[in-house]
Amino acid sequence: MKLKELDREFSVCKVEDYSLVDLSAEYSFIGKTDEENSLVCATGDVPSSVVERDGWWRGFRIQGMLDFPLIGILAGIAETLAENGISIFAISTYNTDYVLVKKESYQRALGILEQAGYKIVE
């Protein structure tokens, strides 16, 4: 399984609304529930309508399109990192999954995953 490094820092945010979110930005993941409006975006793209923000995340993408019947791919990554004391923030899209870890743990996380048999690509 190949994991592609993403070359930017991300912020996980709660926003008042989405009117100031730049949906043309390369990365913007939004989630809306009856309780909140969430946004994950590149740190440089955080809008002024942010209510809460947790920054300093780095991430990677699971390469290739993941079919819905595939089981355990994200769980395997999460378990491998959890066993080493590294928490994740996972984001799924129609095609694939993205995994964010805190910036200070990022290089260690990649090394652990590489030792576990994942191929890291830049």
Side-chain angles (χ1 to χ4, degrees):
M1 174 87 26
K2 290 183 182 178
L3 307 176
K4 172 144 176 61
E5 291 187 64
L6 303 177
D7 64 348
R8 64 203 56 196
E9 289 183 16
F10 291 89
S11 291
V12 179
C13 308
K14 185 185 290 189
V15 294
E16 292 175 9
D17 60 52
Y18 298 111
S19 63
L20 299 177
V21 174
D22 181 3
L23 295 178
S24 68
E26 190 170 12
Y27 296 97
S28 59
F29 304 94
I30 60 173
K32 182 176 181 355
T33 70
D34 61 332
E35 295 182 342
E36 67 179 296
N37 298 318
S38 293
L39 167 70
V40 178
C41 63
T43 298
D45 295 328
V46 171
S48 60
S49 59
V50 68
V51 176
E52 292 181 48
R53 172 181 168 182
D54 188 355
W56 306 103
W57 294 87
R58 290 285 317 273
F60 55 85
R61 167 179 45 231
I62 299 171
Q63 282 297 94
M65 290 182 62
L66 303 178
D67 293 330
F68 287 117
L70 293 175
I71 298 170
I73 294 172
L74 185 57
I77 292 170
E79 183 178 351
T80 299
L81 294 177
E83 289 170 352
N84 288 277
I86 299 174
S87 63
I88 69 166
F89 188 94
I91 305 165
S92 294
T93 67
Y94 189 89
N95 287 341
T96 193
D97 294 318
Y98 294 78
V99 177
L100 304 181
V101 298
K102 286 304 233 174
K103 181 179 175 180
E104 65 268 11
S105 301
Y106 185 68
Q107 291 304 321
R108 187 168 149 253
L110 292 178
I112 289 165
L113 290 168
E114 198 165 38
Q115 287 178 345
Y118 295 90
K119 180 167 174 55
I120 311 299
V121 295
E122 294 182 23

